[in-house]
Amino acid sequence: DMKQIALYGKGGIGKSTTSANLSAALGETGLDILQIGCDPKHDSTRMLMHGAWIPTVLDLVRERGDAAIATDDVVFNGYAGVRCVEAGGPEPGIGCAGRGIIATFQLLERLGALNGDVIVYDVLGDVVCGGFAMPMREGYAEEVYLITSGELMSLYAANNIAKAIARLAKRSRQTCALAGVICNSKNMEGEEDLVREFAARINSAMVAYIPRSRTVTLAELNRQTVMEYAPESEQAGVYRRLAEDIMKNTRTSIPTPLEIDELEELARRFAQV
Ligand code: ADP
Ligand code: SF4
Ligand code: MG
């Protein structure tokens, strides 16, 4: 039984770092993991690949067309056996990133490579347009995790993604649901409580609190995941626990997004303004 999870969040919030360490932690337990980067930045799997930029599906499709692409051209073996794919980005000024995501899923399905014990989708959530909502709309991302810090802008993005899930839940063939909120800390005062309260208010739960850590920075400078660079570190323990909790988690919900005023009021209360 394949598990398909998606991490959605604002650009720069830590989606790729968290996804890659999650995948690595899962891979280390012997599970077959496929991580698909669905951010035009196409660096989702880079630390799993020791800093290499793997070719993106969208670039290859543009260069030679869908039919001439084989599995080995787009699926790369990374740390802990994690299979890595990058959807890629549009041509600046003209293309659509959502197209790349669709093209990626179609290609992987044709190649019979959209499989494994767990598929981890790392998806940009700044704009929840039809393109970036595609993994949820088409039934790929079954369990959605919102990743946010206590910063208003990342909560705002998380809330927007919650809106998309709530809207899609009204459609009958839709199978995606909110599985939880992950707090990736920016070291703000009251942040953990704020994100926990935000999660509760949107009818979900905070499933993990990930501390801001210098180990993450050092691992990145060494072009590795934390799991590989510092397996004995506290931060590696945090990602290992996240992996366990996600595998155990059976609680999903249809979110109840907040109004902007409510969101701001919440952020103000915890910042004690
Ligand atoms: P996204 O994929 O959401 O755009 P990234 O995963 O690329 O974000 O993270 C952005 C930056 O933040 C990276 O330099 C990363 O190393 C750093 N970062 C992410 N999470 C943490 C953390 N828990 N502690 C310290 N740095 C972090
Ligand atoms: Fe960009 Fe989304 Fe519009 Fe595509 S659908 S062009 S990804 S905003
Ligand atoms: Mg990223």
Side-chain angles (χ1 to χ4, degrees):
D1 192 57
M2 187 166 73
K3 201 171 169 73
Q4 302 198 78
I5 68 175
L7 269 68
Y8 270 85
K10 187 182 158 25
I13 197 58
K15 292 179 298 297
S16 300
T17 305
T18 309
S19 298
N21 281 291
L22 167 65
S23 291
L26 291 170
E28 284 177 354
T29 70
L31 292 169
D32 179 13
I33 311 299
L34 176 66
Q35 179 167 324
I36 306 182
C38 300
D39 183 328
K41 206 163 34 141
H42 65 91
D43 61 352
S44 174
T45 60
R46 210 171 148 231
M47 296 304 125
L48 290 163
M49 295 299 306
H50 299 142
W53 295 92
I54 61 174
T56 73
V57 172
L58 205 46
D59 278 343
L60 287 175
V61 168
R62 265 196 300 263
E63 279 163 28
R64 46 171 117 144
D66 181 285
I69 302 172
T71 303
D72 291 351
D73 298 327
V74 288
V75 184
F76 295 82
N77 264 309
Y79 173 70
V82 177
R83 290 177 296 130
C84 302
V85 174
E86 293 287 346
E91 283 187 80
I94 49 175
C96 162
R99 276 268 325 122
I101 297 173
I102 294 165
T104 300
F105 291 169
Q106 285 172 346
L107 176 71
L108 292 176
E109 276 187 335
R110 176 175 72 71
L111 295 170
L114 200 64
N115 55 19
D117 296 314
V118 183
I119 304 183
V120 177
Y121 301 100
D122 168 3
V123 199
L124 184 64
D126 287 56
V127 192
V128 200
C129 60
F132 290 112
M134 192 271 170
M136 300 190 280
R137 265 191 310 142
E138 300 302 318
Y140 294 100
E142 292 168 338
E143 300 168 37
V144 176
Y145 287 90
L146 305 178
I147 175 160
T148 184
S149 70
E151 286 176 344
L152 191 54
M153 286 304 109
S154 74
L155 288 168
Y156 179 85
N159 192 57
N160 260 343
I161 300 152
K163 274 187 198 167
I165 300 170
R167 172 158 303 154
L168 291 168
K170 297 202 180 103
R171 301 175 9 162
S172 54
R173 55 190 264 267
Q174 122 86 25
T175 54
C176 98
L178 180 58
V181 177
I182 297 168
C183 178
N184 194 35
S185 172
K186 291 260 164 136
N187 274 345
M188 290 167 63
E189 200 66 40
E191 189 173 35
E192 187 171 355
D193 291 335
L194 166 59
V195 174
R196 185 177 290 111
E197 175 69 12
F198 167 73
R201 288 280 295 275
I202 63 167
N203 191 31
S204 186
M206 189 174 88
V207 294
Y209 173 81
I210 302 174
R212 190 141 199 96
S213 153
R214 186 172 145 74
T215 313
V216 175
T217 313
L218 293 175
E220 187 173 88
L221 290 170
N222 283 278
R223 300 177 164 178
Q224 289 174 0
T225 58
V226 170
M227 302 313 296
E228 184 174 17
Y229 174 74
E232 307 299 327
S233 65
E234 262 177 58
Q235 195 73 3
V238 169
Y239 293 123
R240 228 170 263 130
R241 221 151 33 240
L242 173 69
E244 281 168 22
D245 290 344
I246 283 181
M247 289 312 283
K248 277 194 307 220
N249 186 15
T250 51
R251 180 204 153 130
T252 56
S253 65
I254 295 171
T256 52
L258 301 179
E259 299 293 334
I260 299 302
D261 293 354
E262 296 175 298
L263 191 61
E264 285 182 352
E265 156 57 23
L266 193 69
R268 257 200 308 272
R269 179 145 57 84
F270 281 86
Q272 291 174 329
V273 177

